[in-house]
Amino acid sequence: MTRNYGSVGRRSGGAGWQWLIIGAVLGFACAAVLGFVGVIAGVFNVAGTSLAFGASPTPVVITATLMPATATPLATEVLITETATTAGVPVVQAPTATPTTDPTLLAPSASPTSFPTPNLGGGTTSTSSGAGASSAQTVSDGQPDPVLLDLVQPSELADIPGAAGQEFQMGTTAVEVSAAVDLCVELGGRCTLQMGEDSDPPHPVTLSPFQMELTEVSYRQYLAFLNYNEQTQGPRFHTDGCFGQPCISTNIESDTSSVSFATNYSVLPVIENLPITEVTWWGARAYCEVIGRRLPTEAEWERAARSGDGRIYPWGNDWDPTLASTNRTADGSAPAKVDVNQFPLGTSPYGVLNMAGNVAEWVFDWYDANYYNRAEATGPNPQGPASGTTKVARGGSWDNPPFFARSVHRQDFAPTDATPFIGFRCAADAVTNPNAAAQSGGALLPGALNTPDPATLGLPTPIGAGANAAPTLPLPPTSAIPTATPPAVLPSPLPVTPTTAGPTATLDPGA
C-alpha cells in the first residue's frame, strides 16, 4: 500500500502524537539553551542558589585566637647578683646633692611640729597637736606593753661608751676615699671620688654613753609588732599606722616584699630570722619607740661601728669578704641577706653584728651632703640637720659593693621609701639606774630599759620612759663572740599564713 505524505489535509488522525513529540523536543532544547546562557551570565549558579547580577559573597571563617598566658609572679625575697650596664660593669649610685628643704617634713625637736599620731600603745591613749606636742603614742602607765615585749623579744643591747673631745673622729679623708675607690674598681665596680665626698672632712664628736642593739631587727620581731597592732589598733595597720605614714610594704604593695598579709602578717618560717626590709623610716622609728627605744643618730651609729681608733670596717682596715654580706661574696655565690646572728667574727669592737653589709640601716638624721662642714656637726650629741627631704642610711647592704660597707659611708633615701635592702636596729640611752625597776617592784621584761628625757635628743616622748622602766638583760663580756643560734620564737598572736616563693626580682641601687 502506497502512503502519500504530500498533503496534510489528507493525513489520517493517527499522526498527532508525532507533533507532540517534536514540540517537546524543541521546548526542551530552548530551555537548555536559556539555562546555559543564564549560567554564563551569572544569573544562576551551579549549586542552584540565585545570585543577583553576578555578586558572590565571600564566606567568612571565625576562629578564637588566645593571647599567650603570662603568669603573675608571686612576691619573694629579693636575691640578686648585680645589675649590669655596659660591658657587664655594675653601676654605683652617687650621693645626691644637698636637698631642698621640704617644710612639710621637719625633724622632731624639743618642740616638734605635730605628726599624725599613730596608735602604738595598748592602753589609754591621747592625741595632741600644736607646738610642743608629742607625736608618740604611750600606754597609760608610761611603759611598753609587756605583752608586746614578750612577743617581740627585743634584741639585746651593747653598752657603747661616750666620746669626749677628740676621742671620736667622725667621717673620713679624701685619701681614704681614693683608696676605697681603687678597691671598688679592682673588684669590678664603678665607684668615683664624688660618691664619698659627703663623708669628708673628719671632725671630732662628743657623745654621751648609749646602747645599741646587737642585731638588726628581724622579720619575726617586726611582724610581732605589726600583728600586735593589727589586733589592738585596727585592720591594715601597716598602711598608715606609723605616725600616719606607711610602716612597711607587703606583697600587696611591692613585688619584692616577702611579707604576706591576709588577716595577719607572716613570712615563710625559713626567713623569720633574716633582717626586716621593705620597712620605711617611719616604720623603723615607730617600732623602736613602742618598745621603749629609738633610732640611733648617725654619729651614734658610726661610733658603735668603728669605735674611736678610726678603723674603716667594723673589724679593722682591710676588706674581708668572709666577714660581711655584700654583692662581692667570698665564694662567688649569689649575694643575699643572711641571718641577723651571722658573721660573728665581723662584729664591731663592742660586739655589734652586721654593721657592714647585710642590710643598710635607717638612722635618725635628715641628710645633707655638706653637713660635715657645718659647726653643728661637732656639737655634743649631733642629730643632723634640722630638716630635709631624705633620711640617712648607713652600713651598705647585700646589694652593694664593699665601698658602701665602710663604716663612714653615707646613703640617703626618702623616709617613705621601702626597699629590699634597707632595715634598721634600735638604740637607747645608757641605763643610769639599773636597779630602779627592781626597787619599785617592776617586772624585769626582756629588752626594756630606762630612756632619756626626749628634750635632750629632740625625740617625741618614747614608750618606756619613766622610773619604772625595766633594765636590760645582763650583757656578755665585750670579747665574747655572739652565737649564730636564732632566738627562741614565741607563738604568734595569730595563725601564720606562709607566702609562696616565686620568681626573684632585680633591684640595684648601686653595685
Side-chain angles (χ1 to χ4, degrees):
M1 174 176 164
T2 303
R3 292 184 178 177
N4 185 1
Y5 296 100
S7 174
V8 176
R10 293 186 62 183
R11 293 179 184 170
S12 65
W17 63 271
Q18 295 176 346
W19 290 107
L20 180 61
I21 292 174
I22 292 172
V25 171
L26 291 175
F28 178 81
C30 289
V33 171
L34 291 175
F36 181 74
V37 172
V39 170
I40 294 176
V43 177
F44 305 102
N45 65 16
V46 295
T49 302
S50 177
L51 299 175
F53 305 106
S56 178
T58 303
V60 178
V61 179
I62 300 175
T63 59
T65 303
L66 299 178
M67 295 296 292
T70 302
T72 301
L74 295 176
T76 183
E77 188 69 28
V78 167
L79 300 176
I80 71 171
T81 52
E82 60 186 37
T83 300
T85 56
T86 58
V89 181
V91 174
V92 182
Q93 181 178 359
T96 61
T98 304
T100 301
T101 300
D102 183 347
T104 64
L105 294 176
L106 300 177
S109 62
S111 298
T113 298
S114 177
F115 291 105
T117 304
N119 294 321
L120 298 178
T124 303
T125 63
S126 62
T127 59
S128 303
S129 61
S134 171
S135 60
Q137 196 79 35
T138 59
V139 294
S140 57
D141 60 357
Q143 289 272 38
D145 190 326
V147 173
L148 172 63
L149 291 177
D150 286 342
L151 293 171
V152 169
Q153 298 182 66
S155 302
E156 193 173 0
L157 289 156
D159 290 313
I160 314 296
Q166 295 187 1
E167 181 181 352
F168 173 48
Q169 287 286 325
M170 185 176 179
T172 190
T173 65
V175 173
E176 188 278 321
V177 174
S178 178
V181 170
D182 292 342
L183 175 62
C184 178
V185 173
E186 180 183 335
L187 295 175
R190 295 180 63 185
C191 303
T192 66
L193 292 174
Q194 290 74 21
M195 296 176 185
E197 286 181 343
D198 60 349
S199 301
D200 182 40
H203 52 283
V205 171
T206 301
L207 290 175
S208 300
F210 64 98
Q211 297 180 311
M212 182 75 83
E213 289 185 341
L214 291 176
T215 60
E216 295 158 327
V217 175
S218 69
Y219 276 110
R220 182 192 59 79
Q221 291 171 318
Y222 199 80
L223 266 58
F225 157 76
L226 289 178
N227 283 322
Y228 171 87
N229 283 286
E230 184 73 12
Q231 290 179 324
T232 60
Q233 307 302 332
R236 296 183 62 82
F237 174 81
H238 75 282
T239 59
D240 60 1
C242 295
F243 301 94
Q245 302 291 330
C247 305
I248 192 174
S249 289
T250 69
N251 61 11
I252 299 173
E253 296 85 21
S254 170
D255 291 338
T256 58
S257 176
S258 294
V259 178
S260 175
F261 174 70
T263 57
N264 71 330
Y265 301 90
S266 63
V267 293
L268 292 172
V270 71
I271 68 169
E272 281 186 341
N273 223 44
L274 297 184
I276 186 72
T277 51
E278 305 272 356
V279 61
T280 67
W281 180 87
W282 299 105
R285 175 187 165 190
Y287 169 92
C288 290
E289 292 182 10
V290 81
I291 64 170
R293 300 178 181 180
R294 56 178 172 79
L295 283 175
T297 65
E298 187 174 13
E300 287 174 333
W301 192 97
E302 187 169 324
R303 170 71 170 171
R306 64 191 301 229
S307 183
D309 58 10
R311 63 183 61 195
I312 299 172
Y313 305 101
W315 56 82
N317 290 325
D318 297 323
W319 169 247
D320 187 341
T322 67
L323 301 181
S325 176
T326 68
N327 69 2
R328 298 300 188 270
T329 57
D331 58 1
S333 59
K337 292 196 299 185
V338 299
D339 189 294
V340 296
N341 294 299
Q342 200 159 327
F343 297 116
L345 299 180
T347 61
S348 80
Y350 308 109
V352 184
L353 289 141
N354 288 302
M355 298 199 83
N358 207 21
V359 294
E361 299 175 17
W362 289 117
V363 297
F364 174 78
D365 306 40
W366 292 106
Y367 174 79
D368 181 347
N370 296 316
Y371 180 69
Y372 286 10
N373 290 299
R374 298 181 180 177
E376 56 264 34
T378 61
N381 298 314
Q383 301 173 49
S387 61
T389 57
T390 58
K391 289 288 185 177
V392 177
R394 285 301 204 107
S397 76
W398 58 273
D399 193 34
N400 296 139
F403 183 87
F404 289 71
R406 295 174 303 129
S407 299
V408 297
H409 191 70
R410 309 172 73 204
Q411 292 178 274
D412 70 299
F413 300 87
T416 53
D417 281 353
T419 76
F421 44 83
I422 301 180
F424 71 101
R425 74 179 77 220
C426 304
D429 269 35
V431 177
T432 57
N433 186 6
N435 296 320
Q439 293 170 354
S440 64
L444 298 179
L445 300 173
L449 70 158
N450 292 319
T451 52
D453 180 353
T456 64
L457 290 176
L459 294 171
T461 305
I463 297 173
N468 294 327
T472 58
L473 296 176
L475 296 176
T478 302
S479 59
I481 298 175
T483 64
T485 304
V489 179
L490 291 180
S492 173
L494 290 173
V496 175
T497 304
T499 58
T500 302
T504 59
T506 299
L507 286 178
D508 192 356

